[in-house]
Each structure stands twice: as structure tokens, then as C-alpha cells.
Amino acid sequence: MLKHFLPDQHVQNILDITPEMLVERGVKGIITDLDNTLVEWDRPEATPELIEWFTSIKEKGILITIVSNNTQHRVKSFSDPVGIPFIYSARKPMTKAFKRALKDMKLKNEQVVVIGDQLLTDVLGGNRLGLHTILVVPVASSDGFWTRFNRKIERIILSWMKRKGMLHWEE
């Protein structure tokens, strides 16, 4: 069961994920979280570096969909200016929003990666569908109440995985 919490990859920042790396893997689509994955949870818009990253991804023909547990207002106000489709109130780790993103992008599971900052939502949700999951270090050190709670659980899971030799990166 705990293997469902184990990401396929771990990176420091979403900007470390290059379009070339994705194309080499055969990736045609990205399902990404918003808060603390793309930008800080309280930052309303994309940074110039993130806009450049979106552009480089799109230039390679890779589709992007933001899948967030946050409200329509939060996700729409971030996504619309950068022209990225989104699904809000996703209820991750439930798989319905992931399946909808796959259907909207018209892609198969093996063509899509899930990128997020939480084991209990992004990684678990992606792994439940057999999607390639990439865990990023959160871009902010502060979180909302439920995310702080999730992070405590994640630390326990990561500690256990580390003791069992399941982790192949340093925190």
C-alpha cells in the first residue's frame, strides 16, 4: 500500500523538468498541481520564469492541465492569463479529476506525467491510475491548515520509506 505514496521521480523545482526530458520519455501531457508546485499558495499569478517554462513545454507540443483542490476563483484567476486549462475542486487523491484531464487531453496514461508537491494528493492520485509521478519540493515553506496536517503524515511516510531504502534522493 505504501508504494502508492512513492513518486517515480523527485526534483527540487518544476523548472528542473525540461521539455527535452519529457519528450525523451514519450510524454505528451502534464497534469500539474497549482499551489506550492507551480507558485506559492498565496501568489496570484505566474512568475516570468514559470511563463517561460510553460512556453517551452507548449513549443514541444506537450499539453498541460492544472488539477487543483482549490476553488474555481483561485485556479481560474491563475490559469486564464497563462492560457492553461484547469480542473478545480479536484478532490485529489480521488481519481475522477485525473481521468477527466486525461480525457480532455485525449491522451493515454502512459503519455502523461503528474507533477505535484504532496504525496497524499498528487502522488497518490497519479499512482492510483498508474501515471508517472514527479514530486517537487514545495515552493513555499508555509501552508494552509490541511496541507500542514498532510505534511506531517508525509514526513512519517517518507521517513519509513527512507529506512526501507525506497527513496533514491536526499531531502
Side-chain angles (χ1 to χ4, degrees):
M1 175 58 186
L2 280 179
K3 69 179 183 202
H4 286 305
F5 295 102
L6 185 64
D8 295 301
Q9 284 180 260
H10 177 266
V11 296
Q12 288 296 309
N13 188 292
I14 196 157
L15 303 176
D16 295 335
I17 302 168
T18 67
E20 294 76 21
M21 172 197 319
L22 297 172
V23 168
E24 190 174 299
R25 282 195 51 78
V27 171
K28 297 184 186 303
I30 296 171
I31 295 173
T32 183
D33 179 44
L34 170 57
D35 295 321
N36 281 343
T37 297
L38 298 175
V39 294
E40 297 85 351
W41 62 273
D42 56 351
R43 178 186 292 270
E45 71 281 326
T47 64
E49 297 84 8
L50 188 59
I51 292 170
E52 189 176 306
W53 184 81
F54 285 146
T55 301
S56 69
I57 295 292
K58 290 176 181 179
E59 284 174 350
K60 292 291 186 182
I62 299 171
L63 303 172
I64 307 169
T65 300
I66 294 173
V67 174
S68 174
N69 285 344
N70 214 320
T71 64
Q72 180 180 11
H73 175 73
R74 162 65 176 144
V75 185
K76 181 177 177 53
S77 63
F78 177 90
S79 301
D80 281 357
V82 291
I84 307 268
F86 63 90
I87 298 170
Y88 64 93
S89 300
R91 299 183 65 215
K92 296 179 291 183
M94 305 302 283
T95 59
K96 184 176 181 181
F98 292 99
K99 289 176 182 175
R100 182 172 149 210
L102 288 165
K103 183 178 179 208
D104 291 350
M105 291 189 283
K106 297 177 179 68
L107 295 174
K108 297 178 178 150
N109 293 24
E110 58 273 10
Q111 298 174 308
V112 175
V113 298
V114 174
I115 304 170
D117 69 303
Q118 291 190 65
L119 294 178
L120 297 180
T121 56
D122 310 305
V123 173
L124 177 59
N127 283 346
R128 290 178 70 207
L129 286 178
L131 302 170
H132 185 86
T133 53
I134 304 174
L135 180 68
V136 300
V137 174
V139 295
S141 55
S142 65
D143 288 307
F145 173 78
W146 288 112
T147 305
R148 283 194 312 269
F149 176 78
N150 282 353
R151 297 239 190 260
K152 288 179 183 183
I153 305 289
E154 288 177 359
R155 281 192 292 277
I156 293 167
I157 293 169
L158 286 169
S159 175
W160 184 87
M161 288 179 177
K162 193 171 192 172
R163 283 195 313 276
K164 295 290 182 183
M166 297 171 74
L167 298 185
H168 305 291
W169 70 83
E170 290 300 317
E171 292 181 67

